[in-house]
Amino acid sequence: MSKTPVPKGFTPVHSARFGKKGSQKLAGYEADGGYASWKKVAKGWKSGDFTPAKIIDMVKASGLRGRGGAGFPTGLKWTFVPPKEKRGGKPVYLLCNADESEPGTFKDRLIMEEDPHQLLEGMLIASAALDVKHAYIYIRGEMVRCAEVLNEAVAEAYAAGYLGKDILGSGLDIDLTVHRGAGAYICGEETALIESLEGKRGHPRIKPPFPAVSGVWDCPTVVNNVETLAAVKFILDNGPEWFKGMGRNEKNTGPKLYCVSGHVEKPGVYEAPMGIKFMDLLALCGGMKGGKKLKAVIPGGASAAILTAAEVADLPMDFDGVAAAKSMLGSAAIMVMDETTDIPKAVTNISKFFAHESCGQCTPCREGTPWLNKMLKRLIKGEGKRDDLDLLLQISNQMGNGMTICVFSDAAIAPVISGITKFRDEFEAYLSKAKAPDFALAAPAEVTPKVADRVAEGIHG
Amino acid sequence: MSKTAKVTVDGRSVDVPDNSNALEACRAAGVEVPHFCYHPGLSIVGQCRMCMVEIEGMPKIAASCTVPIRDGMVIKTDTEKAHAARNSTMEFLLINHPLDCPICDQAGECKLQDNAVTGGLPVSRTSEARRQYPGYERTDIGKHVIADMTRCIQCTRCIRFCEEITETGELSFIERGGHTIVWTHEGRALDNELSGCAADVCPVGALTTKEFRFRKRAWWLDKTRSVCTGCEVGCNIAVEHKDRVVHRFIPRVNADVNDFWICDFGRFRSEELNEQELFRPVVRGKETSWGDAQDAIKAAVDAAQKDVLVLGSAKLSTETNWLAAQLFGKHLGANVEFVVDRGDRHRVKNKKADGNVAGWLEGYEAAPNSRGAEAAGVTRGGDTGALAAVLTGTLLPKVIIVLDAAFSAKAEDPAVIAALRKAGTLIVCSRRRSALAAAADVLLPVGGVHNDEGTFVNVQGRVQRFDCAYIPPPIVRTQLEILTHLGKKWGLFDTRWTARSVFEEMRATVPGYAGLDWDSPALVGSAPSASPAAPHDVLEAPAKGGLGLPALQEVGS
Ligand SMILES: Cc1cc2nc3c(=O)[nH]c(=O)nc-3n(C[C@H](O)[C@H](O)[C@H](O)COP(=O)(O)O)c2cc1C
Ligand code: SF4
Ligand code: SF4
């Protein structure tokens, strides 16, 4: 059983079987009651005891919100798929977003590596609800082990008749394919994921049309996160009321996996009811590392605005709670920073990530992310200029709010804006350390390293 | 006409087709929203983020090309927020741009330059080193196109062109984010029938054609409406020239014919127009005056008593062919014939037009106007006919008049020249020295298609007008002038006749020309655009001005 501590009175859900011997195997999963819900659905399908509407209503009633980042109500998203008569004969696709690459996020990986069948069962139920004949798991390229475990689990599920044609005599035909990406952060954005699955470059699409209407291969498509789809299984196991019973309020419900990293005694994935207070979560992690003082927290992955120690002092870690503090729960990747952390350096590091991962379509993002990074790098090298902080903020403000196709650009600026506004004195300290010459004429021209490599390899030029 | 919707742009109300986007609606209202990646002939990607506008009811600023319009939509391009957004995009585009306009061929017709001059910030706020692209500068990426990534703004127009129009897909984004370059796939060249158009669509100087590089500053170029003479598709072009030198051909938009494109074969024939080699009439080896030359022709033709063969040409206008048919055929009883070579296939993409092959218009003839020549009353010769008979020796006219020494590749064949030479008097109109010209008794110097005006009839039966870029050099004449002068000798024509008056005269009798108007948009097509990257997109396709002549059914099937 999971050795990770949980809050008092809370029984682990997603993580219940993590670490258990043979937890990945079908036999063990079934022994622990796995696939009971799927069997119920399959059995009730012909009799009409289970209908798509019934499942969708259960998901809606549970209050489940997407665990991939935006916290969009899952049941509502499912209703955006046009009814059969309006689809013009097109199939519906379900895509599980397993691209998990938001810095600080490592929860989906655990589900897939430790208990893959909970995801498969959730996907099967969702597929039945959405009239999906073929579902895909789009998994981040680097997660080789996950893909192996998943593929084994899929093979087991086919062999057991949970997947395939006329599943358990229900008349339902569902296939499931695990597709490995090539390791680009942007492929976690749902429309980039769709493009990538189609075999194209992972470029986010302009919306509308939204995937529910026209997604992969121009067919109605639902994209959900791993944890979201796994939660569907537990909602069917225990009922929507049970799910709703966990959590802070009607809109923030269910169990939640939190990925805690940084300056805590025991970093890791912790499961708790949605809306656990930050300080309680910190306590589960054994508190601050070495008893140091808390300085700042990134509550939802690199894309989330940095919060100060004061802002998290009484913060419920759920979608609306973190949003009220002008940041976001995102993928619940909580990065804890103690008093020794150099915020400008942390922000620079994050900006490097975004400059590296921008897909390059939109001018503000393609040009803005490296510009921010170059300025920040110069700043922490002690070559900052008086106007740099204001310029950083101005550029950031030019990159968000509709200026780009996807919200990557909005994500890229959140740490910069919050870092500078909340920890301005630290940035100014770098400015006061700045060396004399105020112009960069002598700076060597930047050479795109990959391009240079290609030339060296003689591939081009 | 599809359904329309009413939208308001900066307070002006316009009706636009209901499948337009907000950028197109603005255009229809006369408001040009600055943009880069939008191209009327390519798919919408909304990547450059230049065409930002405010739309009532939408909380965020929006890229107008990505917003489908709705009835009643209110678009505002002139707000503080919209200007700020566009200025911002300009700033981002310029921080890594080399700003090498003084040595860039695109200068003067560059969308980046235009948008920077008409909007954008007056100062630069960056002090970071500009991105460099070693190995990706000034490099051949194909037979005609040179790429320089330092100038690229990643608009993907060229990529989309190769994917959607030529369907050859040579180009792609390589790398990602700020490292993104646009290049050919490894080991491939930009090699397709329309590759020059990739340089046209490029809004900046990142893709330029070798043929035009460093030839002429774009702003010096005069632009004349013309029609490509490479084949019978009849792509609309602008002949761009300065000081009596032709520098390039650029497609002119015609939604019914070539859309926004022309093929490389047609485009790079422009240099031929600069090859004028003959400047004076020559009679039996002696340079002479037009008067003497005309007297010699009249004497020979009168003496021949109808035993005359006149070769018209599918490379000449319908008007010129008509004059030849009238003068020599109708009045003097001669044989007036033309032949046309069946050449390689040339084609242009047009997804919408009634192309002869799905999505394409194809031409197989090595001349633009066989249909017009025929309609003008010149007999279509070939394996049989007068010329064929001359070549087999079964016909021996006393006089042969070749109106266009380049009428066919046959004109270079010594056996053919020898057969023509058997005529008592051989009269040849030519621009260039050639064996046929050398064999002529009377050699008349003529200009090129760019020195003339008139109409051609294309593969679809469409009558299209071409204009005169500049008149021929002193003494040199067009065939039309030669014919009006000759006609006067017999008291039939007037030397003041122009292509237009001939056109108006012949309308009554030439099939397909009835009721056509010399100045109608259907004939003239669209105006040359200021920049190849900013084609005049005719929102309304020009009315059909077709001859009603049957298109060659067997062609391309
Ligand atoms: C830049 C970017 C990266 C993203 N990466 C992921 C990811 O790795 N995994 C994920 O589940 N969602 C990711 N998302 C969110 C997805 O676009 C999408 O909202 C989500 O998969 C929907 O699932 P949910 O409704 O279950 O949360 C990302 C979004 C953006 C803009
Ligand atoms: S915002 Fe950035 S990541 Fe998103 S589509 Fe545009 S360039 Fe790509
Ligand atoms: S080369 Fe030109 S057309 Fe192609 S992406 Fe760059 S700027 Fe656009």
Side-chain angles (χ1 to χ4, degrees), chain A residues 186 204 357-362 365-366 404-409:
Chain A
I186 195 59
E357 295 291 342
S358 161
C359 85
Q361 285 192 94
C362 311
C365 176
R366 179 186 66 243
T404 52
I405 292 174
C406 84
V407 293
F408 175 101
S409 195

Side-chain angles (χ1 to χ4, degrees), chain B residues 329-407:
Chain B
K330 185 163 169 210
H331 295 291
L332 303 175
N335 240 328
V336 188
E337 186 182 278
F338 77 96
V339 294
V340 62
D341 291 345
R342 214 180 142 81
D344 297 333
R345 181 187 73 179
H346 300 299
R347 55 178 194 164
V348 73
K349 189 64 165 282
N350 193 328
K351 291 183 220 160
K352 305 167 296 253
D354 40 354
N356 45 8
V357 168
W360 294 86
L361 271 178
E362 298 195 335
Y364 287 85
E365 292 182 351
N369 197 31
S370 72
R371 285 162 190 75
E374 209 169 1
V378 180
T379 312
R380 187 186 280 265
D383 295 340
T384 58
L387 181 64
V390 169
L391 298 185
T392 53
T394 52
L395 181 71
L396 229 173
K398 290 209 177 75
V399 176
I400 294 179
I401 303 177
V402 179
L403 274 182
D404 168 20
F407 69 97

Side-chain angles (χ1 to χ4, degrees), chain A residues 201 361 378 385 394 398, chain B residues 47 125 127-128 175 179:
Chain A
R201 282 178 71 94
Q361 285 192 94
R378 191 163 48 69
K385 293 186 291 181
Q394 283 166 11
Q398 286 169 218
Chain B
Q47 293 176 349
R125 298 190 295 176
S127 52
E128 314 309 320
E175 304 300 347
H179 302 307

Side-chain angles (χ1 to χ4, degrees), chain A residues 117-239:
Chain A
H117 285 286
Q118 68 167 271
L119 171 60
L120 299 191
E121 188 173 359
M123 287 184 71
L124 282 165
I125 297 165
S127 297
L130 294 163
D131 192 21
V132 168
K133 302 268 176 283
H134 201 145
Y136 289 83
I137 300 177
Y138 182 99
I139 186 163
R140 174 175 170 181
E142 289 92 334
M143 303 209 286
V144 183
R145 168 98 187 106
C146 277
E148 283 168 7
V149 174
L150 276 174
N151 273 321
E152 277 168 33
V154 169
E156 282 181 320
Y158 268 111
Y162 295 136
L163 263 169
K165 295 265 169 294
D166 189 19
I167 296 167
L168 307 173
S170 62
L172 286 162
D173 303 334
I174 302 171
D175 283 309
L176 195 150
T177 306
V178 179
H179 179 93
R180 283 182 59 203
Y185 169 62
I186 195 59
C187 288
E189 197 279 345
E190 55 187 10
T191 56
L193 184 149
I194 287 169
E195 288 278 300
S196 174
L197 187 64
E198 287 183 1
K200 305 184 194 139
R201 282 178 71 94
H203 279 181
R205 294 179 178 174
I206 38 181
K207 287 142 257 179
F210 289 94
V213 176
S214 177
V216 71
W217 301 298
D218 289 339
C219 298
T221 301
V222 172
V223 184
N224 274 128
N225 173 257
V226 172
E227 190 186 348
T228 314
L229 288 167
V232 171
K233 165 216 150 57
F234 295 110
I235 292 168
L236 265 90
D237 282 355
N238 306 306

